Amino acid sequence: MTGREAGRRSTPGSSPLRSIPRAGVAGVIAGAVAIAVSELLAGVVPGVPSLVVAVGSLVIALQPPGAKDAVATLFGTNDKTALNVAVVVVALLVAAAAGILGRRSFGLAAQLLVGFGFVAFVAAALQPLNSQVLAAVNAAIATAASIATLRILLAEAGFLAPVRVGLPGSNRAAFPVATGNATSLLVRDWNRRRFLIRSGEFLVGALALGAFGRMLLDRQHPAGVPVSANLPAPAEVTPPLAAAESLAAPGITPIVVSNDSFYRIDTELLVPQVDASGWQLRVTGMIDHPLTFTYPELVAMPLFEQYVTLACVSNTVGGDLIGNTLWTGVHLKEVLARAGVQPAATQIVGRSVDGFTVGFPTSWALDPSREPMIAVGMNRVPLPAEHGYPARLIVPGLYGYVSATKWLSEIELTTREAFDAYWVALGWAKDGPILTESRIDHPVDGANLAAGPVDIDGLAWAPDRGVASVEVRIDNGQWQTAMLARAISKATWVQWILRWQATPGTHTIEVRATDGTGAVQTATPGGPSPAGATGLDQVRVSVA
Ligand SMILES: Nc1nc2c(c(=O)[nH]1)N[C@H]1C(S)=C(S)[C@@H](COP(=O)(O)O)O[C@H]1N2
Ligand SMILES: [Mo]
């Protein structure tokens, strides 16, 4: 008899290494069942938090300074998916460890699962919008489901005494595992097959229920304008865009981005759903008259419209974490005037229902040259949920991370020294004026072109200093001045175009902008951390 055969004939428990895979599989499946049950509960019962989302949010909350820089545009859509997947994978690994432990001591395995369930509960309970009771209920049920599953599968695998359920006919114990003769080999084969069948059943069930739960959960957190939302007509209406404000170049990036294609960046793994009827905006801190607005009270104030370009500090050179749209909202200055800002209040902090914060200088907001707003509309519809319904801040000239609080709940007047907002505490710059930048949209990098006239076009922005000029150069040649559309305002980006007589060969095209103060955009590559990306956008093309 070879050593290998001898090994097969021992009991699973007596061959510690060889039994690891089966025990690990049992653990993974127990973990999958826990996740499936918890996602299903979260999807079916309103108010029950998803534990996967909760652990992901905890990871976001615990990130060390600089982590966001390492993952270039963390919190973009793909990163949210990646984080969910990472949480599931880690949970399954922990569950696998529980399965392996369970061969020797089921009690220890159960304790590990309880511990993990407790971590998930704490993660969920820490989120400001979650019910702690429902978080506890979900974690308890999910943990119980994983322990029961592990118990059943470890018994099927022969590591534990069979689970006896006191129902007639259900008492299908695994065959006793014996050693040393042909009959027992057959029995063990049958046991192994039963383990596999059972595991497969649990796995398929978990995948189906988990996917169903997640689908229901996503449905509870839809993007887009909430059905019940409506927006009164603004008192001051912006005239339609003049023809001169857009260049008539085919395929050029539109000057106004649609709500659906406007970039989205935030720390929320599911789109927050704020009910405007229960929502309030409080104005607090170093003011003479604390204020509270309900949604009807806020939108009963005179509404105005303005185009403002919003950019993310994480946007890389040539990137698309930037958009320009028509915002509708209340003058922040009017709200601040009513509140009576005390002279010592040097910082305005915007807090979100989810605990996110921004902070910007009071002097920036009160500067007569700009109109910061409490925005309630985007492109003439109420704010879509993912862009901050029912209200958000929009401050011309500042990156979103220091200014554009979505799902706004409080405006607090404080000092610059007293408080560092969310991303500032994580190492990003305290001041976040949007840098002067420009982008080549056409031709695209790597394009193959025919020799002859080629239109090079793109966008440039320097909110809210305004763009004075845009220049393009080919192969390090002379800077050539591009034609600019008429800017809607200093707070918006502007389209530019340059006709080029392309000659055969490969060429590098670069662009740079000069802002309204005469400052040329920084050409040295840098950032995005801590204060925004610098450097020139460039594309390489082949001309034949
Ligand atoms: N509540 C909340 N508001 C937020 C954020 C966030 O994570 N949570 N992210 C900010 C950042 S970093 C940016 S760039 C803008 C993006 O706004 P948008 O998603 O509407 O484009 O929102 C800002 N407001
Ligand atoms: Mo951002």
Side-chain angles (χ1 to χ4, degrees), residues 262-267 310 312 352 354 356 387 392 400-401 404-407:
F262 204 93
Y263 82 95
R264 173 191 168 198
I265 292 287
D266 54 62
T267 60
L310 179 63
C312 182
S352 165
D354 67 355
F356 178 84
H387 294 296
R392 72 177 304 172
Y401 82 104
T405 309
K406 304 193 272 191
W407 317 291

Side-chain angles (χ1 to χ4, degrees), residues 68 263 265 311-314 399-401 423:
K68 186 179 184 237
Y263 82 95
I265 292 287
C312 182
V313 69
S314 297
Y399 283 121
Y401 82 104
W423 286 117

